[in-house]
Amino acid sequence: MSSSNHSSPSSFILTGIPGLEDAHFWIAFPFCTMYLTAVLGNITLLLVIRMDPSLHTPMFYFLSMLAALDLVLTTSTMPKLLSIFWFHSHEISFEGCVAQMFFIHTFSITESGVLLTMAFDRYLAICKPLHYSAILTGPTITKLGLAAVVRGIATVIPGIYMVTSLSYCGPHVIHHSYCEHMSVVKLACGDTRRNSIYGITVAIAVVGSDSSFIAVSYMLILREVIGLSSREARLKSFGTCGSHIGVILLFYTPALFSFYTQRWGQSIPPQLHILMADLYLLVPPMLNPLIYGMRTKQIRDRVFTSLGSKEKA
């Protein structure tokens, strides 16, 4: 595309939740509460794992990665969203919009990769316990985490390049609360088929492959757990895996709903779609620490011990 045909706006206008503009001020209060809960919960989780040497194991290292990613995901969107709702600060620069898009999509893909590594961790712990510590060494955990990040960046960069190469000649109003890929692409003039094809291909490849491998891991885990002779061992295994399955469902269900309604859900009210897209970046980061904190005995005991020490002091 020649430079004469390419024009990028200096800024976009984010509408928030279309159709619910009059309620923005009040919607912001539960959103702010959930955001602060997510930040506090994930920071607490990171500090607890950092401070307790008994939690320096592969499962908790992966959990730390998940908490860090959740902090990035929520913080890349919620402050701007709250400023729209409370202060009518709808304008976002083109560069800021591209940066927000990069963080949202890169770290969503990275989080999917971390959930896959967590499923692999549970598979090894339950199905191959004698090989667990030999396979999941410190360097291996680091490589798996870096691989998830690199995959996220490498997958999103071409899409970001295509977005910045488009010309935007119409109203620069994004009918969304944040800069989601297809919401921005819809504002471009000219042929955007390659953007749509790339977005669909990435979503199907990432979600399809990761969810398939996760499903296979848990089918193997289930087969192994059912074969355990001890009822206590079965309950412990189900309890540990139950937390992870809950987090997986929290992550993938609203993500898939948002993805498919953005492209093919014309009959779904736009305010419902945008609300679900907002909650997708807010509810999982808020609930993940609570799920793991309440269901993981080591974390629960450490938090209660810390709180008890403060009260005595």
Side-chain angles (χ1 to χ4, degrees), residues 35 38-39 42-43 46 66-76 285:
Y35 173 57
V39 171
N42 284 290
I43 289 176
L46 287 168
L66 189 68
L69 291 169
D70 282 341
L71 283 171
V72 173
L73 271 175
T74 53
T75 304
S76 65

Side-chain angles (χ1 to χ4, degrees), residues 112-113 115-116 119 151 203-219 248 252 256:
S112 181
L115 289 173
L116 175 59
R151 184 186 71 156
I204 292 174
V206 171
V207 176
S209 61
D210 288 359
S211 59
S212 296
F213 284 126
I214 289 171
V216 169
S217 297
Y218 276 97
M219 283 190 286
I248 290 168
Y252 284 115
L256 289 171

Side-chain angles (χ1 to χ4, degrees), residues 101-131:
M101 193 189 312
F102 171 80
F103 279 110
I104 291 169
H105 295 296
T106 296
F107 287 97
S108 292
I109 293 172
T110 302
E111 184 157 334
S112 181
V114 170
L115 289 173
L116 175 59
T117 60
M118 292 174 76
F120 178 61
D121 168 79
R122 291 300 84 204
Y123 164 75
L124 288 177
I126 294 171
C127 301
K128 306 286 183 183
L130 297 179
H131 305 285

Side-chain angles (χ1 to χ4, degrees), residues 274-296:
I274 303 302
L275 191 59
M276 284 295 292
D278 291 343
L279 293 175
Y280 157 63
L281 296 180
L282 190 56
V283 174
M286 177 188 70
L287 292 182
N288 287 351
L290 298 176
I291 291 172
Y292 279 107
M294 293 303 292
R295 293 186 64 88
T296 306

